[in-house]
Amino acid sequence: MASIVKVGIADLNVVKSPDSLISYALGSCVGICLYDEMAKVAGMSHILLPSKLESDSNLMKFADTAIPLLVEKMVEKNARKIRMVAKIAGGANMFSGMMRSSTSRIGERNVAQTKETLKKLGIRIVAEDTGGTYGRTIEFSGETGILYVRSISNQNKEL
């Protein structure tokens, strides 16, 4: 029987088919989903901030450190980086009433750093649902590689 593994904020996990991954309440955070179709290995990271802060030791919190760590964990489960593709969701502007400060743009910055890190690793983004002003819950299938995006205020999607 398939399991659904929860990925919390500043967390990541990897599953093999038929298991799935789920992450709740992506606001300005970004969910990064990587998939190796041949190995049927799926990985998900829920990042909070774009770049690692000197004083913070949780590498799973930041796009620039979590994504390489996720790739490493997937390779440990027999995935190959050369076959991985990415799907991303989140990065909303949850503070749209605020001035255009760096705090109000955190979602945009998270998406930009996610894309930059994936590009540096040579991992192609095949689908995304980012931006907007609404939160999302994502579920990623290790069987099919489909990313299900649900939100209260917007249309549900399959990527």
Side-chain angles (χ1 to χ4, degrees), residues 92-148:
N93 180 6
M94 300 303 288
F95 310 102
S96 59
M98 294 175 66
M99 295 185 342
R100 299 281 296 167
S101 68
S102 63
T103 303
S104 70
R105 292 184 42 248
I106 193 70
E108 292 172 34
R109 291 175 38 231
N110 282 341
V111 170
Q113 184 63 56
T114 294
K115 289 179 175 182
E116 183 179 322
T117 302
L118 288 167
K119 185 176 181 179
K120 281 182 187 172
L121 292 170
I123 298 172
R124 185 170 51 97
I125 297 172
V126 295
E128 74 175 280
D129 181 34
T130 58
T133 56
Y134 56 92
R136 298 161 172 90
T137 290
I138 59 173
E139 186 173 340
F140 192 46
S141 169
E143 178 73 29
T144 64
I146 294 173
L147 176 60
Y148 300 93

Coordinates of all heavy atoms in Angstrom, one line a residue, residues 92-148:
A92 N 4.3 32.8 -3.4 CA 3.3 33.8 -3.5 C 3.7 35.1 -2.8 O 4.5 35.1 -1.9 CB 2.0 33.3 -2.9
N93 N 3.0 36.1 -3.2 CA 3.2 37.4 -2.5 C 2.1 37.5 -1.5 O 1.0 38.0 -1.7 CB 3.1 38.6 -3.5 CG 3.3 39.9 -2.9 OD1 3.6 40.0 -1.7 ND2 3.1 41.0 -3.6
M94 N 2.4 37.0 -0.3 CA 1.4 36.9 0.8 C 1.2 38.2 1.5 O 0.3 38.4 2.3 CB 1.8 35.8 1.8 CG 1.9 34.4 1.2 SD 0.4 33.9 0.3 CE -0.7 33.5 1.7
F95 N 2.0 39.2 1.2 CA 2.0 40.5 1.9 C 1.7 41.6 0.9 O 2.4 42.6 0.9 CB 3.3 40.7 2.6 CG 3.7 39.6 3.5 CD1 4.7 38.7 3.1 CD2 3.1 39.4 4.7 CE1 5.1 37.6 3.9 CE2 3.5 38.3 5.5 CZ 4.5 37.4 5.1
S96 N 0.8 41.4 0.0 CA 0.5 42.3 -1.1 C 0.2 43.7 -0.7 O 0.3 44.6 -1.4 CB -0.5 41.7 -2.1 OG -1.7 41.6 -1.4
G97 N -0.3 43.9 0.5 CA -0.7 45.2 1.0 C 0.5 46.0 1.5 O 0.4 47.2 1.7
M98 N 1.6 45.3 1.7 CA 2.8 46.0 2.2 C 3.5 46.7 1.0 O 3.3 46.5 -0.1 CB 3.8 45.0 2.8 CG 3.3 44.4 4.1 SD 4.3 43.1 4.7 CE 5.8 44.0 5.2
M99 N 4.4 47.7 1.4 CA 5.2 48.3 0.4 C 6.1 47.3 -0.2 O 6.3 46.2 0.3 CB 6.0 49.4 1.1 CG 5.2 50.5 1.6 SD 6.1 52.0 2.3 CE 7.7 51.4 2.6
R100 N 6.8 47.6 -1.3 CA 7.6 46.7 -2.1 C 9.0 46.5 -1.3 O 10.0 46.8 -1.9 CB 7.9 47.2 -3.5 CG 6.6 47.3 -4.3 CD 6.1 46.0 -4.8 NE 7.1 45.4 -5.7 CZ 7.0 44.1 -6.1 NH1 6.1 43.3 -5.7 NH2 7.9 43.6 -7.0
S101 N 8.9 46.1 -0.1 CA 10.2 45.9 0.6 C 10.7 44.5 0.3 O 10.0 43.7 -0.4 CB 9.9 46.0 2.1 OG 9.1 44.9 2.5
S102 N 11.9 44.2 0.8 CA 12.4 42.8 0.5 C 11.6 41.8 1.2 O 11.5 40.6 0.8 CB 13.9 42.7 1.0 OG 14.0 43.0 2.4
T103 N 10.9 42.1 2.3 CA 10.0 41.2 3.0 C 8.8 40.9 2.1 O 8.4 39.7 2.0 CB 9.5 41.7 4.4 OG1 10.7 42.1 5.1 CG2 8.7 40.7 5.1
S104 N 8.2 41.9 1.5 CA 7.1 41.6 0.7 C 7.4 40.9 -0.6 O 6.5 40.3 -1.2 CB 6.4 43.0 0.4 OG 7.1 43.7 -0.5
R105 N 8.7 40.9 -1.0 CA 9.1 40.2 -2.2 C 9.7 38.9 -2.0 O 10.3 38.3 -2.9 CB 10.1 41.1 -3.0 CG 9.4 42.4 -3.5 CD 10.4 43.3 -4.4 NE 11.2 42.5 -5.2 CZ 12.5 42.3 -5.1 NH1 13.2 42.9 -4.1 NH2 13.2 41.6 -6.0
I106 N 9.6 38.3 -0.8 CA 10.3 37.1 -0.4 C 9.9 35.9 -1.4 O 10.7 35.1 -1.8 CB 10.1 36.7 1.1 CG1 11.1 35.6 1.5 CG2 8.7 36.3 1.4 CD1 12.5 36.0 1.5
G107 N 8.6 35.9 -1.7 CA 8.1 34.8 -2.6 C 8.9 34.9 -4.0 O 9.3 33.9 -4.5
E108 N 8.9 36.1 -4.5 CA 9.6 36.3 -5.8 C 11.1 35.9 -5.7 O 11.7 35.3 -6.6 CB 9.6 37.8 -6.2 CG 8.2 38.3 -6.6 CD 8.3 39.8 -6.8 OE1 9.3 40.3 -7.3 OE2 7.3 40.5 -6.5
R109 N 11.7 36.3 -4.6 CA 13.1 36.0 -4.4 C 13.4 34.5 -4.2 O 14.3 33.9 -4.7 CB 13.7 36.8 -3.2 CG 13.8 38.3 -3.5 CD 14.2 39.1 -2.3 NE 15.2 38.6 -1.4 CZ 15.1 38.5 -0.1 NH1 14.0 39.0 0.5 NH2 16.0 38.0 0.6
N110 N 12.4 33.8 -3.5 CA 12.5 32.4 -3.4 C 12.4 31.7 -4.8 O 13.2 30.7 -5.0 CB 11.4 31.8 -2.5 CG 11.7 32.1 -1.0 OD1 12.8 32.3 -0.6 ND2 10.6 32.0 -0.2
V111 N 11.5 32.1 -5.6 CA 11.4 31.5 -6.9 C 12.6 31.8 -7.8 O 13.1 30.8 -8.4 CB 10.1 32.1 -7.6 CG1 10.1 31.6 -9.1 CG2 8.8 31.6 -6.9
A112 N 13.1 33.0 -7.7 CA 14.3 33.3 -8.5 C 15.5 32.5 -8.1 O 16.2 31.9 -9.0 CB 14.6 34.8 -8.4
Q113 N 15.7 32.3 -6.8 CA 16.9 31.5 -6.3 C 16.7 30.1 -6.6 O 17.6 29.4 -7.0 CB 17.1 31.7 -4.8 CG 18.3 31.0 -4.3 CD 19.6 31.5 -4.9 OE1 19.9 32.7 -4.8 NE2 20.4 30.6 -5.5
T114 N 15.4 29.6 -6.5 CA 15.1 28.2 -6.9 C 15.5 27.9 -8.4 O 16.2 27.0 -8.7 CB 13.7 27.9 -6.7 OG1 13.4 27.9 -5.2 CG2 13.3 26.5 -7.2
K115 N 15.1 28.8 -9.2 CA 15.4 28.7 -10.7 C 16.9 28.7 -10.9 O 17.4 27.9 -11.7 CB 14.6 29.7 -11.5 CG 13.1 29.5 -11.5 CD 12.4 30.5 -12.3 CE 10.9 30.2 -12.5 NZ 10.2 31.2 -13.3
E116 N 17.6 29.7 -10.3 CA 19.0 29.8 -10.5 C 19.7 28.6 -10.0 O 20.7 28.1 -10.7 CB 19.5 31.0 -9.7 CG 21.0 31.3 -9.9 CD 21.4 32.5 -9.1 OE1 20.7 33.5 -9.1 OE2 22.6 32.5 -8.6
T117 N 19.4 28.0 -8.8 CA 20.0 26.8 -8.3 C 19.8 25.6 -9.2 O 20.7 24.9 -9.5 CB 19.6 26.5 -6.9 OG1 19.9 27.7 -6.1 CG2 20.3 25.3 -6.3
L118 N 18.6 25.4 -9.7 CA 18.3 24.3 -10.6 C 19.1 24.5 -11.9 O 19.6 23.5 -12.4 CB 16.8 24.2 -10.9 CG 15.9 23.8 -9.7 CD1 14.4 24.0 -10.0 CD2 16.1 22.3 -9.4
K119 N 19.2 25.7 -12.4 CA 19.9 25.9 -13.6 C 21.4 25.5 -13.4 O 22.0 24.9 -14.3 CB 19.8 27.4 -14.1 CG 20.4 27.7 -15.4 CD 20.2 29.1 -15.8 CE 20.8 29.3 -17.2 NZ 20.6 30.7 -17.6
K120 N 22.0 26.0 -12.3 CA 23.4 25.6 -12.0 C 23.6 24.1 -11.9 O 24.7 23.6 -12.3 CB 23.8 26.3 -10.7 CG 24.1 27.7 -10.7 CD 24.6 28.2 -9.4 CE 24.8 29.7 -9.4 NZ 25.0 30.2 -8.0
L121 N 22.6 23.4 -11.4 CA 22.7 21.9 -11.3 C 22.3 21.2 -12.6 O 22.5 20.0 -12.7 CB 21.8 21.4 -10.2 CG 22.2 21.8 -8.8 CD1 21.0 21.5 -7.8 CD2 23.5 21.2 -8.4
G122 N 21.9 22.0 -13.6 CA 21.5 21.4 -14.9 C 20.2 20.6 -14.9 O 20.0 19.7 -15.6
I123 N 19.3 21.0 -14.0 CA 18.0 20.3 -13.8 C 16.9 21.2 -14.5 O 16.8 22.4 -14.0 CB 17.7 20.0 -12.4 CG1 18.7 19.0 -11.8 CG2 16.3 19.4 -12.3 CD1 18.6 18.8 -10.3
R124 N 16.2 20.7 -15.4 CA 15.3 21.5 -16.2 C 13.9 21.5 -15.5 O 13.4 20.5 -14.9 CB 15.1 20.7 -17.5 CG 14.2 21.4 -18.5 CD 14.3 20.6 -19.9 NE 14.2 19.2 -19.8 CZ 13.0 18.5 -20.0 NH1 12.0 19.2 -20.4 NH2 13.0 17.2 -19.9
I125 N 13.3 22.7 -15.4 CA 12.0 22.9 -14.9 C 11.0 22.6 -16.0 O 11.0 23.3 -17.0 CB 11.8 24.3 -14.3 CG1 12.8 24.6 -13.2 CG2 10.4 24.5 -13.9 CD1 12.8 26.1 -12.8
V126 N 10.1 21.6 -15.7 CA 9.2 21.2 -16.8 C 7.8 21.8 -16.5 O 6.9 21.7 -17.3 CB 9.1 19.7 -16.9 CG1 10.4 19.2 -17.5 CG2 8.8 19.0 -15.6
A127 N 7.5 22.2 -15.2 CA 6.2 22.8 -14.9 C 6.4 23.7 -13.7 O 7.2 23.4 -12.8 CB 5.2 21.7 -14.6
E128 N 5.5 24.7 -13.6 CA 5.5 25.6 -12.4 C 4.2 26.2 -12.2 O 3.4 26.5 -13.1 CB 6.6 26.6 -12.4 CG 6.4 27.8 -13.3 CD 7.5 28.8 -13.2 OE1 7.5 29.6 -12.3 OE2 8.4 28.8 -14.1
D129 N 3.9 26.5 -10.9 CA 2.7 27.2 -10.5 C 3.2 28.1 -9.4 O 3.2 27.8 -8.2 CB 1.6 26.3 -10.0 CG 0.3 27.1 -9.6 OD1 0.1 28.1 -10.2 OD2 -0.3 26.6 -8.7
T130 N 3.7 29.3 -9.8 CA 4.3 30.2 -8.8 C 3.7 31.6 -8.9 O 3.0 32.0 -9.8 CB 5.8 30.3 -9.0 OG1 6.0 30.8 -10.4 CG2 6.5 29.0 -8.8
G131 N 3.9 32.4 -7.8 CA 3.4 33.7 -7.7 C 2.0 33.8 -7.2 O 1.5 32.9 -6.5
G132 N 1.3 34.9 -7.6 CA 0.0 35.1 -7.1 C 0.0 35.6 -5.7 O 1.0 36.0 -5.1
T133 N -1.2 35.6 -5.0 CA -1.4 36.1 -3.7 C -2.1 35.0 -2.8 O -2.7 35.4 -1.8 CB -2.2 37.4 -3.6 OG1 -3.4 37.2 -4.3 CG2 -1.4 38.5 -4.3
Y134 N -1.9 33.8 -3.1 CA -2.7 32.7 -2.4 C -1.7 31.6 -2.1 O -0.7 31.3 -2.8 CB -3.8 32.2 -3.3 CG -3.4 31.7 -4.6 CD1 -3.1 30.3 -4.8 CD2 -3.3 32.6 -5.7 CE1 -2.7 29.9 -6.1 CE2 -2.9 32.1 -7.0 CZ -2.6 30.8 -7.2 OH -2.2 30.3 -8.4
G135 N -2.1 30.9 -1.0 CA -1.3 29.7 -0.6 C -1.7 28.5 -1.3 O -2.7 28.4 -2.0
R136 N -0.8 27.5 -1.2 CA -1.0 26.2 -2.0 C -0.6 25.0 -1.1 O 0.3 25.1 -0.2 CB -0.1 26.2 -3.2 CG -0.4 27.2 -4.2 CD 0.9 27.4 -5.2 NE 0.7 28.2 -6.3 CZ 0.9 29.5 -6.3 NH1 1.3 30.2 -5.2 NH2 0.7 30.2 -7.4
T137 N -1.3 23.9 -1.3 CA -0.8 22.6 -0.8 C -0.5 21.8 -2.0 O -1.2 21.8 -3.0 CB -2.0 21.9 0.0 OG1 -2.2 22.7 1.2 CG2 -1.6 20.5 0.4
I138 N 0.7 21.1 -1.9 CA 1.1 20.3 -3.0 C 1.3 18.8 -2.6 O 1.7 18.5 -1.5 CB 2.4 20.8 -3.7 CG1 3.6 20.8 -2.6 CG2 2.2 22.2 -4.2 CD1 4.9 21.2 -3.2
E139 N 0.9 17.9 -3.6 CA 1.2 16.5 -3.4 C 1.9 16.0 -4.7 O 1.4 16.3 -5.8 CB -0.1 15.7 -3.2 CG 0.1 14.3 -2.9 CD -1.2 13.5 -2.5 OE1 -2.2 14.2 -2.1 OE2 -1.2 12.3 -2.6
F140 N 2.9 15.2 -4.5 CA 3.8 14.8 -5.6 C 3.8 13.3 -5.7 O 4.3 12.7 -4.7 CB 5.2 15.4 -5.4 CG 6.1 15.3 -6.6 CD1 5.7 15.6 -7.9 CD2 7.4 14.9 -6.5 CE1 6.5 15.5 -9.0 CE2 8.3 14.8 -7.5 CZ 7.8 15.1 -8.8
S141 N 3.4 12.7 -6.8 CA 3.4 11.3 -6.9 C 4.7 10.7 -7.3 O 5.3 11.0 -8.4 CB 2.3 10.9 -8.0 OG 2.4 9.5 -8.3
G142 N 5.2 9.7 -6.6 CA 6.4 9.0 -6.9 C 6.1 7.9 -8.0 O 7.0 7.4 -8.6
E143 N 4.8 7.6 -8.2 CA 4.5 6.7 -9.3 C 4.4 7.3 -10.7 O 5.0 6.8 -11.6 CB 3.1 6.1 -9.0 CG 2.5 5.2 -10.0 CD 3.2 3.8 -10.0 OE1 3.7 3.4 -9.0 OE2 3.3 3.2 -11.1
T144 N 3.8 8.5 -10.7 CA 3.6 9.2 -12.0 C 4.4 10.5 -12.3 O 4.5 10.9 -13.4 CB 2.1 9.6 -12.2 OG1 1.8 10.5 -11.2 CG2 1.2 8.4 -12.1
G145 N 4.9 11.1 -11.2 CA 5.6 12.3 -11.3 C 4.7 13.5 -11.5 O 5.1 14.6 -11.7
I146 N 3.4 13.3 -11.3 CA 2.4 14.4 -11.3 C 2.4 15.2 -10.0 O 2.4 14.6 -8.9 CB 1.0 13.8 -11.6 CG1 0.9 13.2 -13.0 CG2 -0.1 15.0 -11.5 CD1 -0.4 12.5 -13.3
L147 N 2.4 16.5 -10.2 CA 2.3 17.4 -9.0 C 0.9 17.9 -9.0 O 0.5 18.6 -9.9 CB 3.3 18.5 -9.2 CG 3.3 19.6 -8.1 CD1 3.6 19.0 -6.7 CD2 4.3 20.7 -8.4
Y148 N 0.2 17.6 -7.9 CA -1.1 18.1 -7.7 C -1.0 19.4 -6.8 O -0.4 19.4 -5.7 CB -2.0 17.1 -7.0 CG -2.1 15.8 -7.7 CD1 -1.2 14.7 -7.5 CD2 -3.1 15.6 -8.7 CE1 -1.3 13.6 -8.2 CE2 -3.2 14.4 -9.4 CZ -2.3 13.4 -9.2 OH -2.3 12.2 -9.9

